Amino acid sequence: MEKKKEKISHAVIRRLPRYYYCLTELSDSGITKVSSNMLSKRLNLTASQVRQDFSNFGEFGLQGYGYDVEYLKSQICSIIGLDKVYSMIIIGAGKIGTSLANYQAFEKQGFKVKAVFDKEPENKSVRDEIPVLHISKLQEFVNSNKVDIVVITVPKVQAIKVFELVCALGLKAVWNFAPVYLSSENVVVENIDMSESLYMLAYKFNDLNYNS
Amino acid sequence: MEKKKEKISHAVIRRLPRYYYCLTELSDSGITKVSSNMLSKRLNLTASQVRQDFSNFGEFGLQGYGYDVEYLKSQICSIIGLDKVYSMIIIGAGKIGTSLANYQAFEKQGFKVKAVFDKEPENKSVRDEIPVLHISKLQEFVNSNKVDIVVITVPKVQAIKVFELVCALGLKAVWNFAPVYLSSENVVVENIDMSESLYMLAYKFNDLNYNS
């Protein structure tokens, strides 16, 4: 499985979370078998696309029998890495940072927030079990704790400086909520860019009105 | 300009917000001229990619002279539709919904929140100027107010029902924060999918560790 992973296209990988949601819903509804047709309808893809995607990961289904929901779910879970536990820290205890720290859905999936850092750590409304520490304590914390993922939720003007610090500390994965393009050769980054999404919606809305 | 717009690829359109950010930063720093080289470095693209993207929108720059920052910014602003004002309503007054209602950065860019709707509209901490109304008032509100964009911030289990209601009311643009795939022929949808992003980060993190 690991050997195959390297060849899988980015487009296929991007669809995995949607497959995972869908299979979780089926599983929660007590459905044990699913056809590529049924999956494709639920996901707005073609059945052959679904079969082709799954063939990337080896033989998960049998023609005419469909796919075993639990098995397929566990395979995709393992490919994404949702069968592991990740230690996260959040830098920036503003609205987004504290909301994320208090949001427990990700924790249930193995993404555990270990600490929040801020320039002004006082009086931040974060769950009791998560310490809010001064940003000057970051290096010490990283040296003595396992940190897999850093969530950056500082304002735009501080994001690049914080990212440089994170890279210098040897951390490897950044989930960025600041509206700034962050990239580095040795660090993987995912951006949540709400402005980009809203701008795209505005564009599509105008395009729809223009064409109708 | 409008005529040309139809031919522009989705990939180019997706880059417009990043161009817009970058030009805004240059403009704020008092820079008036910019070369495709400089833009490409800031955006991690090739200079020819930048020139090709801009050629889609007509001739914005002169070889050897570079691009006029203000003019380019205003053109991209107009292509996206950021020179207009949009009326938004938010359905779901939970953490995300109230945070968005209270977040004024989008409002400054012309995205005005007119009302928030919820099953339990009492005691929601939203800015005074934005009414929080019972969901039963939605149809009445839509009939007597211009609504361009609907933000869906209800829990997953209610999202599809809310989306059907929104479609039935003839609304045309949905910004969806629920982790559910929403689509309809006559409605444009943009999704903010935090789980998908976090899963992708986990995948890339594991891939990095495996290959290093």
Side-chain angles (χ1 to χ4, degrees):
Chain A
M1 190 62 64
E2 292 282 13
K3 279 284 167 210
K4 279 211 160 194
K5 208 160 82 173
E6 293 171 68
K7 299 173 208 157
I8 301 167
S9 80
H10 201 73
V12 179
I13 298 298
R14 281 268 159 206
R15 281 193 283 276
L16 291 182
R18 273 169 62 200
Y19 287 131
Y20 180 72
Y21 292 158
C22 187
L23 291 162
T24 302
E25 278 169 33
L26 292 170
S27 168
D28 292 349
S29 318
I31 295 168
T32 57
K33 292 274 174 192
V34 65
S35 66
S36 46
N37 266 328
M38 185 174 167
L39 276 174
S40 68
K41 273 178 202 148
R42 281 184 168 241
L43 291 162
N44 219 22
L45 299 165
T46 66
S48 74
Q49 173 88 81
V50 170
R51 285 191 294 268
Q52 206 180 320
D53 282 358
F54 290 170
S55 73
N56 277 290
F57 313 114
E59 292 298 321
F60 290 166
L62 279 172
Q63 191 97 36
Y65 290 86
Y67 297 89
D68 184 294
V69 171
E70 285 309 318
Y71 181 72
L72 191 48
K73 187 183 149 194
S74 76
Q75 290 294 313
I76 290 178
C77 191
S78 144
I79 293 166
I80 299 174
L82 294 179
D83 50 354
K84 296 177 186 168
V85 173
Y86 301 89
S87 298
M88 302 211 292
I89 57 169
I90 296 174
I91 304 182
K95 279 180 196 163
I96 300 174
T98 53
S99 293
L100 283 172
N102 292 327
Y103 188 62
Q104 297 184 43
F106 293 133
E107 181 153 310
K108 283 178 196 150
Q109 298 184 293
F111 298 91
K112 310 271 184 202
V113 178
K114 297 295 184 182
V116 178
F117 294 86
D118 201 273
K119 280 194 304 185
E120 291 165 9
E122 303 80 18
N123 307 318
K124 302 294 177 185
S125 53
V126 170
R127 290 186 271 156
D128 281 347
E129 59 268 40
I130 301 176
V132 184
L133 307 172
H134 192 270
I135 186 70
S136 62
K137 304 276 183 194
L138 180 64
Q139 178 157 13
E140 187 188 325
F141 187 91
V142 169
N143 289 343
S144 49
N145 294 275
K146 173 175 169 281
V147 175
D148 300 313
I149 294 173
V150 181
V151 189
I152 297 184
T153 53
V154 297
K156 186 176 168 178
V157 286
Q158 290 152 29
I160 291 173
K161 209 173 155 189
V162 164
F163 184 62
E164 284 168 356
L165 175 63
V166 163
C167 293
L169 291 173
L171 297 164
K172 293 295 176 206
V174 167
W175 202 20
N176 175 38
F177 284 73
V180 178
Y181 182 79
L182 302 178
S183 94
S184 161
E185 258 183 33
N186 307 310
V187 180
V188 292
V189 182
E190 272 285 318
N191 295 287
I192 292 279
D193 192 336
M194 294 206 293
S195 298
E196 183 185 303
S197 174
L198 186 56
Y199 293 175
M200 285 307 300
L201 188 64
Y203 174 82
K204 293 198 280 189
F205 176 68
N206 290 313
D207 207 44
L208 189 78
N209 289 340
Y210 175 74
N211 290 319
S212 62
Chain B
M1 188 64 63
E2 292 283 13
K3 279 284 169 210
K4 280 210 160 192
K5 212 160 81 173
E6 293 172 68
K7 298 173 208 156
I8 301 169
S9 80
H10 201 72
V12 178
I13 298 298
R14 280 270 159 205
R15 281 193 284 275
L16 291 181
R18 272 169 63 200
Y19 286 131
Y20 180 72
Y21 292 158
C22 188
L23 291 162
T24 302
E25 278 169 33
L26 292 171
S27 168
D28 292 350
S29 318
I31 295 168
T32 57
K33 291 275 175 193
V34 65
S35 66
S36 47
N37 266 326
M38 185 174 167
L39 275 174
S40 68
K41 274 178 200 149
R42 280 184 168 242
L43 291 163
N44 220 21
L45 299 165
T46 66
S48 74
Q49 173 88 82
V50 170
R51 285 192 294 269
Q52 206 180 320
D53 282 359
F54 290 171
S55 73
N56 277 288
F57 314 114
E59 291 298 322
F60 289 167
L62 280 171
Q63 190 96 36
Y65 290 85
Y67 296 88
D68 184 295
V69 171
E70 285 308 318
Y71 181 71
L72 191 47
K73 188 183 148 194
S74 76
Q75 290 293 313
I76 290 177
C77 191
S78 144
I79 293 165
I80 299 173
L82 294 178
D83 50 354
K84 296 176 186 168
V85 173
Y86 301 90
S87 297
M88 302 210 293
I89 57 169
I90 296 173
I91 304 182
K95 278 180 197 162
I96 300 174
T98 53
S99 293
L100 282 173
N102 292 327
Y103 187 61
Q104 296 185 43
F106 293 133
E107 182 153 310
K108 285 178 195 151
Q109 298 184 293
F111 298 91
K112 311 271 183 201
V113 178
K114 297 295 183 181
V116 177
F117 294 86
D118 201 273
K119 279 194 306 187
E120 291 166 9
E122 303 80 18
N123 308 319
K124 302 294 177 182
S125 52
V126 170
R127 290 186 271 156
D128 281 347
E129 60 269 39
I130 301 175
V132 184
L133 307 172
H134 192 272
I135 187 71
S136 63
K137 304 276 183 193
L138 180 63
Q139 178 157 13
E140 187 188 326
F141 187 90
V142 169
N143 289 343
S144 49
N145 294 275
K146 174 176 169 281
V147 176
D148 299 313
I149 294 172
V150 181
V151 189
I152 297 184
T153 53
V154 297
K156 186 176 167 177
V157 286
Q158 290 151 29
I160 290 174
K161 210 173 154 189
V162 165
F163 183 62
E164 285 167 354
L165 175 63
V166 162
C167 294
L169 291 172
L171 296 164
K172 292 295 176 205
V174 167
W175 201 20
N176 175 38
F177 284 73
V180 178
Y181 182 79
L182 301 178
S183 95
S184 161
E185 259 183 33
N186 308 309
V187 180
V188 292
V189 181
E190 273 285 317
N191 294 287
I192 293 278
D193 192 335
M194 294 208 292
S195 298
E196 183 185 302
S197 174
L198 186 56
Y199 293 175
M200 285 307 300
L201 189 63
Y203 174 83
K204 293 199 280 188
F205 176 69
N206 290 312
D207 207 43
L208 188 79
N209 289 341
Y210 175 73
N211 289 319
S212 62

